[in-house]
Amino acid sequence: MPAIMGMFAKSRFNPAPGAVDFWNEFRKPNPYRWPILAVSALPLAVIFYWLSTETVYKTPERPRVTYITTFDPERTDNEIIQSNLENQELKELREQAEADLAARKREIYKALGAGIGMDVEEIERRAEEERAAEAAAEEARRAEMFGRPPSGESGAETSSESTAP
């Protein structure tokens, strides 16, 4: 500490005379010295209060990976293949049920539209075009994601464009 004071004594910025001057002024009987001191300490107190209420979150612990343990680790390849085939069959049944439900809904809406005088054939044609465009967009997205050209780019689109009216 004396080395620091020695450094200040040699420089232009010596805090010692300022501290002595402050102490001499503060000791004088002035009716405003305590309120001035309180107001002067208020910003520092507010900053300390703000810093003490700051919420700091610790970094979360790394997740522990739990592998699927419901399958028997001693399964043979044939058992795995059989399980996959059963799951694929269930998936196809679900997709077929969803497609049947969608077709039934379309039939109901067609009957409703025909009952109120709408051109249901034109609406159905536009809906089929939209579904085909959505399927093509999905196929293109998947092809791009897997880094292969879309399946319909070879020349099928040019032949349908030439026959369009």
Side-chain angles (χ1 to χ4, degrees):
M1 190 76 171
I4 294 175
M5 293 306 282
M7 179 181 70
F8 282 130
K10 294 177 185 173
S11 70
R12 266 180 47 193
F13 306 106
N14 189 356
V20 170
D21 187 39
F22 170 75
W23 184 248
N24 286 335
E25 288 298 317
F26 189 73
R27 281 190 341 190
K28 290 181 184 176
N30 184 347
Y32 301 113
R33 70 178 167 181
W34 292 110
I36 288 174
L37 184 64
V39 169
S40 299
L42 186 64
L44 191 60
V46 167
I47 290 172
F48 279 139
Y49 175 75
W50 176 63
L51 288 175
S52 69
T53 60
E54 182 179 2
T55 304
V56 178
Y57 298 102
K58 69 175 191 169
T59 56
E61 67 180 55
R62 292 181 58 96
R64 296 186 187 128
V65 178
T66 304
Y67 295 98
I68 298 175
T69 57
T70 57
F71 294 121
D72 181 21
E74 302 297 322
R75 291 186 307 161
T76 64
D77 286 344
N78 288 335
E79 290 173 335
I80 293 172
I81 291 170
Q82 184 61 33
S83 171
N84 289 348
L85 289 174
E86 291 170 2
N87 289 336
Q88 183 65 30
E89 186 178 331
L90 286 174
K91 177 185 170 197
E92 290 170 357
L93 286 174
R94 275 191 219 109
E95 288 174 351
Q96 183 61 40
E98 287 176 8
D100 291 343
L101 182 62
R104 178 70 180 135
K105 282 183 185 179
R106 282 194 294 276
E107 292 300 319
I108 290 171
Y109 282 123
K110 281 173 75 174
L112 179 65
I116 60 173
M118 298 175 89
D119 185 9
V120 293
E121 298 303 321
E122 175 64 21
I123 294 171
E124 178 67 20
R125 185 187 61 77
R126 279 194 244 150
E128 285 296 327
E129 288 174 358
E130 287 178 18
R131 281 192 288 274
E134 287 174 2
E138 178 65 20
E139 175 64 28
R141 185 188 68 81
R142 286 185 182 187
E144 179 183 336
M145 187 169 54
F146 290 118
R148 61 177 187 246
S151 60
E153 280 189 5
S154 59
E157 293 172 344
T158 56
S159 64
S160 64
E161 289 175 1
S162 62
T163 60

